[in-house]
Amino acid sequence: MLESTADAVQLAIFAKAPIAGYAKTRLIPSLGPEGAAELQAYLFQRTMQTALASPLRPITLWCAPDCDHPIFQSAMQEHGFATHVQAGNDLGERMFGAFELLTRRSPTLLIGTDCPILSADHLMLCAAALVGGADAAFIPAEDGGYALIGLRQPVWRLFEGMPWGTGDVMRLTRDRLREEHLSVFETDQLWDIDTPADYYRAKSAALLSDPAA
């Protein structure tokens, strides 16, 4: 099952470059621009380790604002990952574009870099659901969004006009899945790092090194 899942499902990682003043902006008041950027670099590397620990291939990087940052270039050169620039007016358009391209080959899981408790086992569980016939797979997040979305085919309705960054995203997504008559697999909720409270929660759980160190 692991081999068939690995052969049948690919993984896309959406990541912001760890640029001071650009990455993790909601944490800048607590960590400063440089500290927030260093945290983003740490989370990116952790996400890469999780992705590589799974057998899912190929892995592609979807970069913002472009693919030029050394952290992306290093990942591409060291692991041979294809890189793409995130293109679109909002997150929904950018994710839909990735799915539109990638699902021509096979079902696809898409993750960000904000969830340090996401594991290779989570990835494989969702990949197995898609291989088993589910139209979609999700890992809901405690803040009302989601840490992972997987699709067999691109579905624009799941992304159109979504209030990204609010606590309504997963609820509205479930509504739209029902409207589109799509079968869906969900895991238990995870949590990600967006706010100072999230950051200190991760620190207390020993999930982070000190980005200011």
Side-chain angles (χ1 to χ4, degrees):
M1 182 56 157
L2 288 178
E3 290 183 359
S4 63
T5 300
D7 291 339
V9 180
Q10 57 191 310
L11 178 63
I13 300 172
F14 265 43
K16 280 188 174 183
I19 300 170
Y22 176 72
K24 308 304 292 179
T25 54
R26 281 188 278 180
L27 285 167
I28 288 176
S30 296
L31 302 180
E34 294 292 341
E38 289 173 16
L39 174 62
Q40 174 64 13
Y42 175 87
L43 291 171
F44 176 78
Q45 296 291 359
R46 188 180 181 102
T47 302
M48 293 294 296
Q49 292 170 6
T50 298
L52 290 166
S54 85
L56 300 182
R57 299 293 186 273
I59 300 169
T60 53
L61 298 180
W62 295 75
C63 311
D66 53 47
C67 300
D68 296 336
H69 193 279
I71 202 169
F72 297 145
Q73 292 295 308
S74 176
M76 179 178 63
Q77 293 164 12
E78 184 174 352
H79 303 294
F81 299 154
T83 57
H84 305 266
V85 177
Q86 296 180 29
N89 292 322
D90 68 1
L91 180 60
E93 289 187 8
R94 296 194 293 271
M95 289 197 293
F96 179 77
F99 278 114
E100 193 171 38
L101 175 67
L102 296 175
T103 55
R104 294 172 189 169
R105 176 189 181 276
S106 61
T108 300
L109 302 182
L110 187 154
I111 61 174
T113 61
D114 294 338
C115 185
I117 57 173
L118 182 72
S119 70
D121 287 343
H122 290 118
L123 299 179
M124 290 305 298
L125 193 62
C126 292
L130 294 181
V131 170
D135 296 313
F138 286 87
I139 298 180
E142 289 182 4
D143 63 6
Y146 49 79
L148 175 150
I149 174 175
L151 294 174
R152 297 179 64 85
Q153 298 293 334
V155 182
W156 172 236
R157 183 66 182 132
L158 299 180
F159 306 102
E160 180 184 17
M162 189 66 72
W164 305 108
T166 73
D168 294 325
V169 171
M170 192 68 234
R171 177 182 61 80
L172 292 172
T173 299
R174 291 187 184 104
D175 290 344
R176 295 180 185 190
L177 287 162
R178 285 191 293 270
E179 292 167 3
E180 297 293 324
H181 306 290
L182 298 174
S183 60
V184 59
F185 169 81
E186 284 190 25
T187 71
D188 293 335
Q189 288 184 345
L190 298 181
W191 54 276
D192 51 23
I193 300 178
D194 288 318
T195 66
D198 299 328
Y199 170 75
Y200 292 113
R201 180 180 183 180
K203 288 282 287 182
S204 67
L207 292 170
L208 300 177
S209 62
D210 189 345

